[in-house]
Amino acid sequence: MEETLDSRLRARLLIRGAVQGVGFRPFIHRLASEHALKGWVLNSTEGVACEVEGPQEQVERFLQDLRPKAPPRAVIEHLEASFLPPVGYTSFDIQPSREALSQFVLISPDIAVCPDCLREMRDPSDRRHIYPFTNCTNCGPRFTIVEDIPYDRPRTTMKAFAMCQDCQREYHDPGDRRFHAQPIACPTCGPRVWLIPGEEGHAASGSFTGQETLATGPAAINATRQLLYQGAIVAIKGLGGFHLACDATNPEAVQKLRERKQRVDKPFAIMSSDARAVASYCHLAPGEQQLLESPQRPIVLLQRQEGAPIAQAVAPNNRYLGVMLPYTPLHHLLFSEEGNRPMGRWPLALVMTSGNRSEEPIAKDNGPALEQLASLADYFLLHDRDIHVRCDDSVTRLFQGKEAIIRRSRGYAPFPVRLDFPLQEILACGGELKNTFCLTRDNYAFLSQHIGDLENLETLESFESNIEHFKRLFRIEPKIVAHDLHPDYLSTKYAQELASNHCAQGTGPEVRLIPVQHHHAHMASVMAENALNETVIGVSFDGTGYGTDGAIWGGEFLVGDYRGFHRAAHLKYVPLPGGTAAIRRPYRMALSHLFNALGPDAFGIHLPIWEQLEPLEQAVLRRQIETGLGSPPTSSMGRLFDAVSSLLGIRQVINYEGQAAIELEMVAQEGLEESYEFAIEESGVKGHGLLIDPAPLFRVLIADIKAGVATGVISARFHRSIAEMIASVCGIIRKRYGLNKVVLSGGVFQNVYLLLQALRCLEQAGFEAYVHHLVPANDGGISLGQALVANAVAEI
């Protein structure tokens, strides 16, 4: 019996979520063909729209298969379906994209090269054999090449490369894995790679004839590999910017890179060919291997094996190495002939650190990189696929069986944090260090990639340009702007200038500025990712945060929700001698805490820390501590860790943020449950709650040092003391406020030795404790908290 229109059904679908750049339209095309349906599919600024028409039973089966058979990197957040009379479609087509200015779609992060593309790249008979830009609908660049939505080739940096006939055929073939793969490329028509000497390379060879090309294509990668084996430093253009690479098992090469980059001790990240290679020099649990091999390909913190061949200078005084696996075809090709390496008994590992000068954003464009990295690199491995958005590598670790992100960037951004309730259109500007910003609309919080420390013009310009890019991608025009309380942060000044300019131009409704206290933002951030919308106890421990009283906070117990907070307890204020100088020189904080514990006797105590100081600095420090001159009061837990690190002789001067505390954690003895005591009493100041005084701790700690107690034992006792103090103070707060949920945030809680102890103590005391997993506990996560607070305050 011949089928009639009356026996057919037409379904119109709008699919929202991460459905562009993940092969979703080709998937819809194949699924429709599988069920013998006709119609069309297209990308729009709302998501993916399609209509399918055919027998009712086939349409229903199509709908049933949509979610379970979707591409692996697709995320279907919402599916709208309506049923209409049939119109008699005779084919199924992919139609041109449709743009609606007020609508937006989720953008896929960059995806590590897939196994299928790797197999082709390694197959001598394949036309993409050893081609370093191989990709398909399941992998390759996304966020870093997207200029606007909908996601189509003309709106990416791949628009500069016209497809050859073979690529055109694959692009238009519904049965091909590259069907509508926007970054599709091959050696005939796609990006190319070449090697040139840098300033240092010319100096080593004794000649200079300009930027001559040493090799191109596969020969350039082979030459790069050999140069790395020989101890050279090579600037390699990657997916989201440049890396500076050298042989991680060559101590001289690593030290040379440190000297050139002026990066004295801060750990370098390394890359190895596969998990088997990593397991030869790091302890690798199954969950950690899953993180390493995930499509995000983050840097994963792994415990170093004793006697590992990785140069000690890669991560001085640290039990952990930051390790990642190759995530682009080019990276894989750098490891493809590791058997040729001298001393090949050990797998090849490369230092792959951000290609930038100290404190500047990662270089992403060839011209500026040649200038900025000229004094750092011996050679440059370049390519001509432009990077639209710079994006550093993400850093993560496994904590209690779950991922805990330390730096959220490549592979994660710009995918949003999904919230349980809708938010207004808000821009949250973040903090000064480890800056990220956050834009919100509907139930989405779009947290930016890692921007860096907002301490110079170059990083500020990157911050500003990325905000404009996110606003354009996600069609957000914020009328609320949240910022930190600190008046001198560049992010605060940006927010104020933004509101001032908007007011002066008279364009639309006034932009409302909402200042958010730093530690309240920390608390709100961990609440948001754990779907808590109630009053909780917030423990916010970090190095620096501007308080409501103008002091430097950092050892805070807050009671509150998104709308506001009460300072229920805090570490006792001590002077920060010389201001920021005390952050760089932990011995200053040691003397400040000793004075708090011992009074004037602190300056007569016989400790190496005091005896090593020049008489003039001793006199200046004593005057600053006794009078408070040039020494703002601080309740910082980070500075308390610095003080103990200094007293134990671990670190007197730091070369990177948090170094003294990190090295104190590294020496802590496992399995010890002995502790020191804090004094906990009423502060006597209205609104400031309990005062936590570490003076008793320091008196006993000094006695232990004089008695010759091992450094590892003292460190363990100190960590245990903090954990027990957290549980004790939360217990007092519970009695007063009837609260049982505790959230932990702030950079101090990146210390996993402390975090494990704190969680155990809280759980033993019957608390429900919540920590970060989706966003960083450090200042990289506060923009999310700022946005949530601003949204709540705006609704009051």
Side-chain angles (χ1 to χ4, degrees):
M1 182 177 176
E2 187 175 337
E3 186 181 56
T4 66
L5 286 180
D6 291 340
S7 65
R8 295 164 67 86
L9 181 68
R10 177 164 60 109
R12 177 178 292 170
L13 308 178
L14 178 61
I15 305 143
R16 300 177 188 270
V19 291
Q20 292 189 18
V22 291
F24 207 86
R25 286 177 299 173
F27 157 69
I28 291 289
H29 191 288
R30 288 192 297 272
L31 192 62
S33 299
E34 180 183 327
H35 292 289
L37 300 175
K38 312 301 182 185
W40 53 263
V41 63
L42 58 79
N43 275 346
S44 79
T45 43
E46 295 179 274
V48 168
C50 74
E51 287 191 6
V52 292
E53 181 180 296
Q56 180 175 339
E57 184 180 354
Q58 295 299 99
V59 171
E60 289 174 351
R61 287 178 179 173
F62 172 91
L63 294 173
Q64 291 170 1
D65 286 345
L66 198 58
R67 289 181 184 273
K69 291 186 177 181
R73 299 300 296 158
V75 179
I76 299 175
E77 299 250 334
H78 186 65
L79 174 62
E80 296 176 16
S82 57
F83 299 95
L84 306 166
V87 293
Y89 290 125
T90 59
S91 63
F92 195 93
D93 303 314
I94 293 183
Q95 295 186 353
S97 296
R98 187 183 302 158
E99 184 171 359
L101 293 180
S102 63
Q103 301 299 324
F104 76 101
V105 67
L106 302 186
I107 302 294
S108 169
D110 300 297
I111 307 168
V113 60
C114 70
D116 289 330
C117 285
L118 281 180
R119 277 193 293 272
E120 291 173 345
M121 190 186 73
R122 292 166 176 163
D123 181 358
S125 66
D126 194 279
R127 72 188 192 92
R128 290 186 175 85
H129 179 230
I130 58 175
Y131 181 57
F133 303 99
T134 298
N135 67 84
C136 69
T137 55
N138 298 320
C139 69
R142 298 293 190 270
F143 173 56
T144 52
I145 64 169
V146 170
E147 297 173 346
D148 204 349
I149 59 170
Y151 174 68
D152 289 310
R153 193 178 182 97
R155 292 181 175 88
T156 74
T157 60
M158 284 299 295
K159 64 180 181 291
F161 302 94
M163 285 184 274
C164 66
Q165 287 186 353
D166 287 334
C167 285
Q168 285 271 11
R169 175 181 48 78
E170 293 169 332
Y171 184 87
H172 292 290
D173 180 2
D176 196 282
R177 201 175 76 254
R178 295 186 173 88
F179 183 46
H180 278 253
Q182 305 308 325
I184 186 172
C186 74
T188 302
C189 64
R192 63 188 185 93
V193 63
W194 66 97
L195 178 70
I196 65 171
E199 183 178 295
E200 297 297 327
H202 282 302
S205 65
S207 65
F208 182 79
T209 58
Q211 291 178 5
E212 69 267 23
T213 299
L214 300 179
T216 62
I221 299 172
N222 290 336
T224 298
R225 189 187 309 114
Q226 294 305 316
L227 288 167
L228 290 167
Y229 294 166
Q230 294 164 13
I233 297 170
V234 184
I236 300 174
K237 187 177 181 181
L239 193 62
F242 278 79
H243 284 114
L244 288 168
C246 71
D247 184 349
T249 65
N250 183 330
E252 292 78 17
V254 176
Q255 189 57 40
K256 180 170 64 173
L257 179 55
R258 286 206 173 277
E259 291 170 359
R260 289 185 186 176
K261 203 175 180 190
Q262 298 180 2
R263 185 166 167 169
V264 181
D265 293 312
K266 190 175 182 180
F268 286 141
I270 62 177
M271 179 182 284
S272 275
S273 57
D274 53 34
R276 183 179 177 182
V278 174
S280 69
Y281 55 80
C282 280
H283 299 286
L284 189 61
E288 292 170 330
Q289 182 169 338
Q290 287 179 343
L291 281 179
L292 274 176
E293 295 176 341
S294 69
Q296 293 87 353
R297 286 293 197 281
I299 297 168
V300 182
L301 296 188
L302 301 172
Q303 193 163 356
R304 183 203 298 249
Q305 290 183 17
E306 194 73 29
I310 305 301
Q312 285 297 319
V314 166
N317 305 314
N318 202 311
R319 297 198 306 266
Y320 292 87
L321 292 172
V323 186
M324 59 181 159
L325 299 183
Y327 53 87
T328 71
L330 190 152
H331 292 150
H332 281 276
L333 290 170
L334 287 173
F335 292 97
S336 64
E337 295 181 16
E338 66 186 55
N340 293 338
R341 183 176 185 271
M343 298 170 61
R345 166 173 166 246
W346 290 105
L348 174 67
L350 297 176
V351 167
M352 294 289 266
T353 191
S354 298
N356 57 355
R357 288 185 299 219
S358 181
E359 310 305 329
E360 290 185 358
I362 186 172
K364 71 179 183 70
D365 299 318
N366 291 346
L370 290 171
E371 179 183 343
Q372 295 166 17
L373 308 181
S375 61
L376 306 181
D378 298 313
Y379 300 89
F380 286 81
L381 185 63
L382 304 173
H383 65 71
D384 56 357
R385 184 180 68 201
D386 286 344
I387 299 168
H388 187 67
V389 178
R390 59 171 52 88
C391 202
D392 288 87
D393 295 313
S394 295
V395 183
T396 190
R397 75 187 315 155
L398 193 70
F399 179 75
Q400 292 189 323
K402 294 182 180 180
E403 181 176 20
I405 293 178
I406 296 166
R407 184 169 76 192
R408 188 179 185 273
S409 204
R410 178 192 49 77
Y412 298 84
F415 202 73
V417 176
R418 203 178 196 291
L419 305 168
D420 287 343
F421 51 89
L423 274 72
Q424 301 179 63
E425 294 192 5
I426 298 169
L427 166 63
C429 296
E432 186 86 336
L433 302 179
K434 299 180 174 65
N435 177 269
T436 64
F437 61 84
C438 182
L439 281 157
T440 64
R441 66 171 291 176
D442 303 332
N443 290 67
Y444 299 111
F446 295 98
L447 200 67
S448 77
Q449 75 274 31
H450 171 78
I451 302 297
D453 296 347
L454 286 182
E455 296 181 330
N456 54 57
L457 178 61
E458 292 82 6
T459 311
L460 178 62
E461 289 174 344
S462 177
F463 168 79
E464 292 174 345
S465 65
N466 275 287
I467 287 175
E468 292 305 312
H469 185 54
F470 268 63
K471 285 166 61 178
R472 184 169 58 254
L473 284 182
F474 303 117
R475 306 301 196 250
I476 297 174
E477 284 299 332
K479 297 299 182 284
I480 299 170
V481 178
H483 62 85
D484 195 271
L485 281 184
H486 200 300
D488 295 330
Y489 279 2
L490 290 180
S491 55
T492 300
K493 293 179 178 180
Y494 168 83
Q496 293 169 341
E497 185 177 344
L498 189 70
S500 176
N501 290 343
H502 190 88
C503 181
Q505 294 167 4
T507 54
E510 181 180 346
V511 170
R512 180 180 176 185
L513 287 180
I514 297 181
V516 180
Q517 200 280 323
H518 190 89
H519 302 95
H520 187 202
H522 269 306
M523 181 178 84
S525 177
V526 71
M527 287 174 62
E529 71 163 89
N530 285 283
L532 298 173
N533 193 3
E534 59 194 280
T535 303
V536 300
I537 302 170
V539 184
S540 295
F541 285 177
D542 63 5
T544 300
Y546 196 83
T548 55
D549 58 357
I552 299 172
W553 292 9
E556 312 304 316
F557 292 79
L558 310 180
V559 168
D561 54 21
Y562 295 128
R563 294 171 297 173
F565 71 93
H566 164 68
R567 196 182 192 194
H570 65 87
L571 277 180
K572 181 182 178 181
Y573 286 140
V574 296
L576 186 70
T580 56
I583 299 173
R584 295 189 297 272
R585 299 178 176 87
Y587 63 83
R588 289 176 171 240
M589 286 310 303
L591 292 170
S592 185
H593 274 288
L594 284 178
F595 182 76
N596 175 63
L598 304 173
D601 291 345
F603 303 111
I605 195 168
H606 295 292
L607 288 173
I609 170 187
W610 189 237
E611 295 163 358
Q612 290 170 8
L613 294 181
E614 295 292 331
L616 179 59
E617 187 174 9
Q618 287 187 31
V620 170
L621 275 175
R622 178 166 187 164
R623 176 169 170 76
Q624 287 178 324
I625 292 169
E626 289 179 334
T627 66
L629 183 66
S631 305
T634 182
S635 60
S636 169
M637 180 60 75
R639 301 291 81 81
L640 180 65
F641 271 79
D642 288 353
V644 174
S645 183
S646 171
L647 286 173
L648 293 181
I650 294 170
R651 177 58 56 179
Q652 306 302 344
V653 178
I654 66 166
N655 301 302
Y656 63 91
E657 186 197 8
Q659 183 179 12
I662 290 170
E663 293 181 358
L664 178 64
E665 177 193 359
M666 291 302 107
V667 302
Q669 183 175 313
E670 296 287 345
L672 208 65
E673 295 193 359
E674 302 163 7
S675 61
Y676 305 115
E677 288 188 2
F678 287 83
I680 303 172
E681 57 192 30
E682 292 292 342
S683 67
V685 179
K686 185 178 179 180
H688 281 214
L690 298 169
L691 194 66
I692 305 159
D693 189 352
L697 177 151
F698 276 97
R699 294 186 193 113
V700 180
L701 188 147
I702 291 299
D704 277 355
I705 292 173
K706 290 183 174 180
V709 176
T711 298
V713 172
I714 297 176
S715 175
R717 288 174 179 170
F718 171 72
H719 280 83
R720 181 71 182 181
S721 305
I722 304 295
E724 291 180 356
M725 179 270 287
I726 290 171
S728 296
V729 173
C730 287
I732 298 171
I733 295 172
R734 176 167 57 187
K735 288 180 181 178
R736 293 185 177 183
Y737 296 93
L739 301 172
N740 202 53
K741 291 184 178 179
V742 179
V743 299
L744 307 176
S745 188
V748 167
F749 288 115
Q750 290 183 156
N751 179 327
V752 292
Y753 187 97
L754 170 66
L755 185 57
L756 277 169
Q757 299 253 14
L759 289 174
R760 288 172 187 156
C761 289
L762 286 168
E763 287 162 5
Q764 288 168 5
F767 285 100
E768 295 178 52
Y770 299 85
V771 298
H772 285 282
H773 291 286
L774 302 180
V775 301
N778 59 43
D779 284 5
I782 67 167
S783 61
L784 175 63
Q786 288 175 343
L788 271 292
V789 170
N791 184 72
V793 169
E795 292 178 345
I796 295 176

